[in-house]
Amino acid sequence: MTSPKYETKPLQLWTKAKEMIADYYREVGTAREDGKLLVAGGSSSILPLPAGLGDYVFFGAEPYAAVISTDPQFSLKCTEEVEARGFARDLCSYLRNYWGSMFLDRYFFGGPFPKPDFCFTTHICDTHAKWFQVVSEYLDVPYACVDIPLIPAKYGRYEQKVEFLLSQLFDTVEWMEKITGRHYDDELLIEAVNNECDSLALQGEICLLQKAVPAPLSQKTMFSLYIIPHLLGHHRDAVDFCRELKDEIEDRVARGIAGLATERCRLMDDAQPPWYFLKLYRYFEEYGAAVIGSYYSFYLGGNLVEEPDGTLVAPRTIKERGMPMKTREDALRAMVEFYLEKPILPCFLSVEEKNEQMIRLAKQWNVDGMIIHLNRGCEGQALGQMENRIRIQSEGLPVMTYEGNMGDKRELDEAEVLDRVDAFMESLDLTKIGAS
């Protein structure tokens, strides 16, 4: 039996993180009866925007659909309900889980499906605009969608992209005032934008700490934690949590405390996992293989940005940028600049950009191999995956692929996936820890 190589221990903030997420979903379920606005949309939308209306809860669709995915029995009822209404099985599985919950009028956490006051989303992939058009029509609530430019700033016309998005946000604020009858308070917007940008910057720094050997956190843990800045980053509580978490992880790195005590191989995966099959990560750990992150968990909850030399760093905060925050335009412009920096956005559009992003991550986080989930459940994140494989292999990095679906268990053969892990580990000259 191989002895553990590193010390490990649970995160002190783990219970607090679980409580924050549980409180959030309770708040979604009771928002309207508590006198708060409930706003539904994609979780990559510009969540601070409704803040000027006063007390509100943003019901982020994709994390909710991912939670449904962890319960294959309920997920199957949701997807079959959607398919029975004539929608295609190859649509985004998040969308089908969310719609199914809505059509069945069943909230995963109990009670009827939460009806929003209005829908507000950004259009960043094939489905988002139509996703909430259907929600709007079915629940008979107002709907607005903002189009996000996906071409990175380094390809030029940056100011045009800023102005294009900025003009839509100004229009959306006026629209929100009109449909709610509420006065829009710019001071509340400024506060929410400051919080959001601070949260994203802190989470970016947390992702950078995963470069340490041993990695202080596992990918499975990262998936549980990134939801807080991703969904709640516009709240001060989320900023405080991210700051505490960063401090704790810095301490783990300084003391050599590992997410996996037997780490002897470092892997990274690409996008969403099959949420109903997270034991896959535990299976890798039987070989001493630590999956330390992915461009999905690093880029979605945080906001790593690229320096001119290609180095990925945490974004500068609004204060560090010296940006004024006195007016509505100041706040919206700051938010636009943060969102247009997100490196995950061009990966919905450009195979070449995704190739280079994955290679940067692999090299800068010193991984020994990459895992690519050929995900039938997401048209956007599955773009060009086999081209990604070839490009990564050209850099001398081994790649494992497996077929599946992030939210539909019918699309994944667990035994076959574990056989692929065994073969991949053998190719890396690794055997299960304790095996003769």
Side-chain angles (χ1 to χ4, degrees):
M1 175 70 73
T2 303
S3 299
K5 190 174 180 182
Y6 304 106
E7 180 186 356
T8 188
K9 69 173 188 176
L11 275 172
Q12 294 173 359
L13 284 171
W14 184 247
T15 299
K16 184 175 182 178
K18 290 196 296 183
E19 288 172 352
M20 287 180 72
I21 295 167
D23 288 346
Y24 164 73
Y25 281 113
R26 278 194 292 270
E27 197 174 15
V28 167
T30 63
R32 295 187 70 172
E33 64 189 74
D34 293 340
K36 300 178 181 179
L37 284 173
L38 184 62
V39 183
S43 58
S44 289
S45 302
I46 299 175
L47 272 57
L49 197 67
L53 300 171
D55 252 356
Y56 76 108
V57 181
F58 198 100
F59 184 14
E62 300 93 333
Y64 174 66
V67 171
I68 292 175
S69 304
T70 65
D71 182 343
Q73 188 174 16
F74 182 51
S75 175
L76 181 60
K77 289 179 181 178
C78 290
T79 53
E80 287 183 339
E81 179 67 22
V82 172
E83 290 158 16
R85 292 169 181 260
F87 294 100
R89 180 169 166 170
D90 63 356
L91 285 172
C92 167
S93 59
Y94 281 167
L95 173 150
R96 288 184 289 131
N97 278 337
Y98 184 96
W99 279 0
S101 177
M102 176 182 71
F103 290 145
L104 292 168
D105 196 25
R106 285 181 55 191
Y107 187 41
F108 183 82
F109 299 96
F113 184 83
K115 181 178 178 179
D117 290 280
F118 63 88
C119 296
F120 163 64
T121 194
T122 50
H123 186 55
I124 59 170
C125 77
D126 297 10
T127 57
H128 275 71
K130 285 294 181 182
W131 181 334
F132 290 95
Q133 180 183 343
V134 170
V135 173
S136 166
E137 292 170 353
Y138 185 77
L139 296 178
D140 191 26
V141 297
Y143 160 64
C145 180
V146 167
D147 189 28
I148 300 282
L150 300 182
I151 302 295
K154 65 184 179 183
Y155 295 120
R157 302 180 67 188
Y158 177 70
E159 271 308 314
Q160 289 96 323
K161 294 165 193 168
V162 169
E163 293 303 324
F164 172 68
L165 183 49
L166 199 56
S167 66
Q168 294 179 79
L169 297 185
F170 275 114
D171 290 345
T172 304
V173 167
E174 292 180 6
W175 172 83
M176 288 192 298
E177 283 188 303
K178 181 178 178 180
I179 63 161
T180 62
R182 293 191 177 194
H183 168 70
Y184 194 88
D185 187 332
D186 292 341
E187 289 299 319
L188 294 176
L189 171 68
I190 289 169
E191 180 183 358
V193 169
N194 266 312
N195 290 338
E196 176 91 348
C197 295
D198 284 351
S199 296
L200 292 173
L202 286 164
Q203 182 66 11
E205 293 183 40
I206 289 167
C207 294
L208 292 173
L209 291 169
Q210 285 292 94
K211 290 183 178 182
V213 179
L217 301 176
S218 69
Q219 170 75 312
K220 196 166 179 287
T221 303
M222 292 288 289
F223 279 137
S224 298
L225 296 173
Y226 86 88
I227 287 298
I228 291 173
H230 185 55
L231 279 178
L232 302 172
H234 50 290
H235 293 289
R236 189 70 215 175
D237 288 350
V239 180
D240 294 339
F241 174 84
C242 290
R243 186 166 286 114
E244 284 185 73
L245 180 62
K246 175 176 167 283
D247 290 344
E248 182 178 349
I249 297 171
E250 283 179 335
D251 181 66
R252 289 172 75 94
V253 170
R255 295 198 284 150
I257 296 173
L260 176 63
T262 54
E263 179 184 317
R264 58 179 179 173
C265 171
R266 294 163 63 86
L267 302 175
M268 186 173 279
D269 55 357
D270 64 336
Q272 307 96 324
W275 294 107
Y276 46 86
F277 189 50
L278 292 180
K279 69 179 183 181
L280 173 63
Y281 294 107
R282 296 287 181 245
Y283 195 71
F284 277 108
E285 291 175 355
E286 292 182 26
Y287 286 90
V291 183
I292 64 167
S294 64
Y295 87 81
Y296 187 77
S297 62
F298 283 4
Y299 289 166
L300 201 62
N303 195 22
L304 297 170
V305 297
E306 184 185 335
E307 297 276 78
D309 65 356
T311 302
L312 293 166
V313 298
R316 292 174 299 146
T317 64
I318 291 173
K319 183 178 180 180
E320 290 169 340
R321 295 167 191 241
M323 299 183 74
M325 287 288 280
K326 298 179 180 179
T327 66
R328 180 181 302 181
E329 180 170 357
D330 291 341
L332 294 182
R333 186 172 292 275
M335 198 73 260
V336 164
E337 291 194 9
F338 261 78
Y339 271 71
L340 292 183
E341 284 180 347
K342 279 181 174 284
I344 198 170
L345 294 178
C347 295
F348 286 98
L349 190 66
S350 168
V351 174
E352 293 76 15
E353 186 69 22
K354 188 176 174 186
N355 285 341
E356 300 313 309
Q357 291 289 0
M358 292 183 69
I359 290 167
R360 285 188 198 100
L361 286 168
K363 288 183 175 180
Q364 292 175 36
W365 272 257
N366 298 307
V367 302
D368 302 298
M370 299 288 286
I371 307 159
I372 294 179
H373 174 204
L374 302 174
N375 179 9
R376 296 184 185 134
C378 179
E379 297 91 336
Q381 294 297 288
L383 174 72
Q385 286 184 303
M386 295 311 286
E387 288 89 342
N388 299 153
R389 173 178 175 269
I390 293 168
R391 179 69 180 89
I392 294 165
Q393 287 177 324
S394 75
E395 295 288 325
L397 272 171
V399 180
M400 171 193 153
T401 61
Y402 69 97
E403 295 185 36
N405 188 307
M406 62 194 181
D408 189 338
K409 191 176 182 181
R410 295 172 295 179
E411 302 278 3
L412 184 136
D413 183 327
E414 293 187 11
E416 180 187 6
V417 174
L418 297 182
D419 284 346
R420 282 180 169 269
V421 175
D422 291 334
F424 187 57
M425 293 294 100
E426 183 179 348
S427 75
L428 297 176
D429 295 324
L430 293 176
T431 56
K432 288 186 178 180
I433 292 173
S436 57

